[in-house]
Structures are given as C-alpha cells and as structure tokens.
Amino acid sequence: MSQAKSKLFTPFRLGDIELKNRVVMAPLTRNRASRGTDAPNDLNVEYYRQRAGAGLIVTEGTQISQQGQGYVWTPGMYSDAQIAGWRKITDAVHADGGKIIAQLWHVGRVSHVSLQPGQGAPVAPSPLQAKTKTYIESGFTEVSAPRELALSEIPAIIGDFVKAAENAKAAGFDGVEIHGAHGYLIDQFLRDDSNKRTDAYGGSIENRVRFALEVVEAVAKVFGKGRVGIRISPVSPANDARDSDPQALFTHLVTRLNDTGIAFIHVVEGATRDARDYLPFDYKALRQAFKGAYIANNSFNRDLAIETIENGDADAVAFGRLFIANPDLVERLEAGAPLNEPDVATFYGGDAKGYTDYPFLTEKAA
Ligand SMILES: Cc1cc2nc3c(=O)[nH]c(=O)nc-3n(C[C@H](O)[C@H](O)[C@H](O)COP(=O)(O)O)c2cc1C
C-alpha cells in the first residue's frame, strides 16, 4: 500500500490497556500444557513470545478449576505451578512489547468424567447432555452426561473465577477475558436451550444473564473494570449452543454489562470457524448497545479486517487460525505479504510441530 497506513495498524486504548495495533490474537486451545500439572511450559513460552507482535494476545482458554476443565492438557489458572508457568509467558510477551490477557474458562457440561475431580459428572445449569465431543487422552469422544448445579454451588464457582483472576494478576497478565462463548458454562446459563432452571438463574432473560453478570462483576473487582472483557458468540452453534432469541438475549446482556463498565466485548460473529452469516444477527446494533470497545472475530481476512476498522464496525479484529500459522501476522498483514496455511492436524496436542515451527517472513524476527 502506498497510501497512509490503515487504522488497523494504529494504536488503540482498550479500557486501561494500551495496544500498539488493533490486531488481536484470538484465544486458541492447543492442548500442549505440561502433562500432570496442566502448567504452561517452555514450549508454550516460545509460542506466545513469537506472537508478541499482536496488539493484544488473548490466551487459550485456561480452566479456573479442575471442575472447569473439558479437554486434556489445557492449562489451568488455579495452582502455583500454573501461575509460575504463566509468569514466564507474560514476562516474555512484555519483554517483546506485547500485551496479554488470560481467557478464564469453565466448560460446564462440555467435559468428560476422566477430567473431573473424583471422576464425577461434569456440572451444568440443567442435567442436559450436549451433542458435542471433547478431546481426552485417547482422542475425541462424546461428552459425559452432566448433573445439575445446586443453587448453593454457584457462589463457589464465582469464587473460582475470582481466585483465577487473582492468580492471573499475580502471574503478570494485563487483564482477563471471561469466556462467555461457545456453549461453555456461562453460555449454558445464558441460553434457554441449555438452561431450564426454575430458580433465580433460569427462566427469563433477566435471570439467565444473572450468572454471567455476577462473574463479570466479581472479576472486575479483582482487576479493575478497565482490564476485563467478555467473549460471546451470539449465534454460533459451537458445542450445541442454541437459543430461541439470541438478539434479545445478547442485547439485554450487553446493556446490563454497561452498568459494570467493563472494557470490551469480544464477539464471534456467525458460526465459529465457519460462515459469518450463519444465522441473521444485527452485530451493529449490538456494538451500538455496548458502551465499551468491540472486538470482532471470525473468518476475517486482511481486506475485511481493514474495512471493518475503517468503517468503525469494530475497534479491533481478532484472528485465530491465521495466528496459529503466522507468528508475525501483523507484519505480514501490514506488508500485504503472503500468509502461511494453518495445518489442522496439529491444532490440538503434540509438540513443536505446527506450533512453534511456522516460518517468519524475515530471518531477524525468527
Ligand atoms: C485450534 C483452535 C482452538 C480454539 N480455542 C479456543 C479457545 O480456547 N477459546 C475460544 O474462545 N475460542 C477458541 N477457538 C475459536 C477461535 O478463537 C476463533 O473464534 C475461531 O478460530 C474463528 O476465528 P478465525 O476465523 O480467525 O480462525 C479456537 C479455534 C481453533 C481453530
């Protein structure tokens, strides 16, 4: 490009976090934490360090407790070993001029007994099994049938989110993103297809957003509202997520989020990793309803990202698969350079292959 550089590559203040550009690395589960401890290791440090050119890195989903884990070898945010592992990652990213926030994750019913404390049933708002698969040591398998959370258990889960946020702060993160997307616990509470509760957490939209809001408010107290955001995927069918009226549900949610003053919503537009127009949904209305920043994601390419930022339809754009394959994605996008293709076979689990061995554009960066 001979013209002035696109706004996509200009700095942006996300709440209290200064980003050097508006290109975000989306959260990406890679199942490469240390076996036995689920602590980040040196290979993970190298992977994130390579991607510090992003304006912001959102880590892969990090379970807030063992109960919150749904896949094997995903990193946690609840033990000393895990905090120590994350500290090496935040130090490495900061040393290279990047910013990094942790995605706090409770999978709810998207889990398997082999991953749960005492091999128990996974927990959910209602005892309804999702039609989806998880990934355990032996490979992909059906999720286990969940049990319904007692009302008395909900404060302890909010407490686990708080503890994980405190741990993320101790590990040097710039903030946190609460995982409210993709059919995991918070999303299970939000949607009328997975939430059949008759107490204060189920039924009306007001009741179904209660859990999400309580988590957000509690976590914001730890980090400060300017360093907290939430990821949502209004129409994505990921992990069997369904609702009778997503527009009303998510409009209400973001309106209520305004009261919390959190920094951003991170919106997966359309079907995750698939069609952006999967179901009709008015994302512009959602952006207008929310007072904070709007990070857009899903199947963006360079042109669409530039156009979206120039039009003001988002403040930043998150890339997932392109960041897997291109550690220096920002440099490549800015130069209009060719991109490496992601290798799907090495997405989940394994070693450096398909993880830290994607080539950089220039020798010096590598
Ligand atoms: C390997 C892989 C792992 C993912 N893990 C997560 C995750 O941990 N948390 C999350 O919110 N989304 C996760 N996603 C979804 C991505 O963040 C993103 O929404 C999706 O890939 C669409 O963006 P893209 O078209 O730029 O890849 C994952 C996607 C992939 C491909």
Side-chain angles (χ1 to χ4, degrees):
M1 284 197 310
S2 53
Q3 316 92 306
K5 76 173 174 184
S6 160
K7 200 174 165 190
L8 181 62
F9 307 107
T10 63
F12 176 67
R13 193 175 159 93
L14 182 74
D16 292 339
I17 313 171
E18 294 285 349
L19 311 188
K20 62 189 167 189
N21 60 60
R22 295 160 186 263
V23 180
V24 173
M25 177 177 168
L28 294 159
T29 290
R30 306 302 307 275
N31 309 81
R32 283 166 170 86
S34 293
R35 300 183 179 202
T37 60
D38 293 328
N41 53 48
D42 290 348
L43 184 65
N44 308 145
V45 174
E46 180 59 12
Y47 165 77
Y48 282 110
R49 191 193 66 79
Q50 288 179 339
R51 287 158 180 78
L56 179 71
I57 293 173
V58 184
T59 69
E60 62 205 283
T62 67
Q63 61 268 6
I64 60 166
S65 61
Q66 195 190 336
Q67 184 196 68
Q69 182 169 11
Y71 305 80
V72 73
W73 309 315
T74 55
M77 193 64 84
Y78 58 89
S79 77
D80 290 343
Q82 293 160 0
I83 299 169
W86 284 118
R87 169 52 86 173
K88 287 190 189 173
I89 290 173
T90 62
D91 282 349
V93 169
H94 290 150
D96 278 19
K99 295 285 162 68
I100 181 166
I101 65 176
Q103 189 184 50
L104 301 185
W105 191 22
H106 190 307
V107 298
R109 66 178 181 170
V110 184
S111 187
H112 189 265
V113 288
S114 66
L115 298 164
Q116 289 292 307
Q119 315 268 291
V123 300
S126 299
L128 301 167
Q129 192 168 1
K131 290 175 199 67
T132 189
K133 286 194 160 51
T134 180
Y135 178 75
I136 59 174
E137 218 164 321
S138 53
F140 284 95
T141 186
E142 293 293 323
V143 296
S144 304
R147 67 173 179 86
E148 180 176 323
L149 278 168
L151 186 60
S152 60
E153 290 178 280
I154 293 176
I157 296 183
I158 295 169
D160 288 339
F161 270 101
V162 168
K163 189 78 193 113
E166 287 167 358
N167 292 343
K169 204 170 179 186
F173 281 99
D174 296 292
V176 289
E177 172 176 285
I178 293 159
H179 197 341
H182 297 156
Y184 297 115
L185 184 64
I186 290 174
D187 209 18
Q188 289 157 31
F189 270 94
L190 290 175
R191 294 173 190 269
D192 56 14
D193 187 68
S194 48
N195 182 347
K196 306 288 186 192
R197 299 181 74 91
T198 53
D199 59 18
Y201 291 90
S204 64
I205 288 180
E206 286 77 7
N207 280 354
R208 281 183 279 126
V209 302
R210 190 179 310 280
F211 181 66
L213 290 171
E214 287 180 355
V215 170
V216 167
E217 279 163 8
V219 166
K221 278 189 195 134
V222 175
F223 250 102
K225 55 187 171 29
R227 295 181 178 274
V228 173
I230 185 170
R231 192 170 217 225
I232 53 177
S233 52
V235 302
S236 184
N239 292 314
D240 206 17
R242 267 171 287 141
D243 190 82
S244 60
D245 192 353
Q247 193 82 47
L249 171 61
F250 286 92
T251 303
H252 181 80
L253 175 66
V254 305
T255 308
R256 294 293 311 279
L257 286 172
N258 285 332
D259 304 334
T260 71
I262 56 165
F264 68 90
I265 55 173
H266 182 176
V267 185
V268 183
E269 300 173 338
T272 314
R273 294 166 68 169
D274 210 325
R276 293 180 44 73
D277 59 357
Y278 171 73
L279 281 178
F281 190 90
D282 188 348
Y283 296 100
K284 286 187 187 172
L286 197 69
R287 171 159 171 69
Q288 264 165 12
F290 184 62
K291 295 204 179 86
Y294 186 103
I295 305 176
N297 167 251
N298 198 31
S299 301
F300 275 87
N301 59 25
R302 179 179 188 273
D303 288 349
L304 185 60
I306 288 175
E307 183 189 315
T308 298
I309 297 295
E310 300 286 345
N311 288 348
D313 291 335
D315 298 298
V317 171
F319 294 89
R321 288 161 295 176
L322 288 182
F323 252 117
I324 290 178
N326 298 276
D328 52 354
L329 183 64
V330 179
E331 193 182 330
R332 287 174 188 259
L333 292 178
E334 196 164 357
L339 301 174
N340 302 320
E341 284 292 321
D343 168 25
V344 180
T346 50
F347 276 5
Y348 304 107
D351 50 22
K353 186 169 180 296
Y355 190 56
T356 51
D357 66 350
Y358 284 103
F360 285 75
L361 196 57
T362 56
E363 286 285 321
K364 80 168 169 45

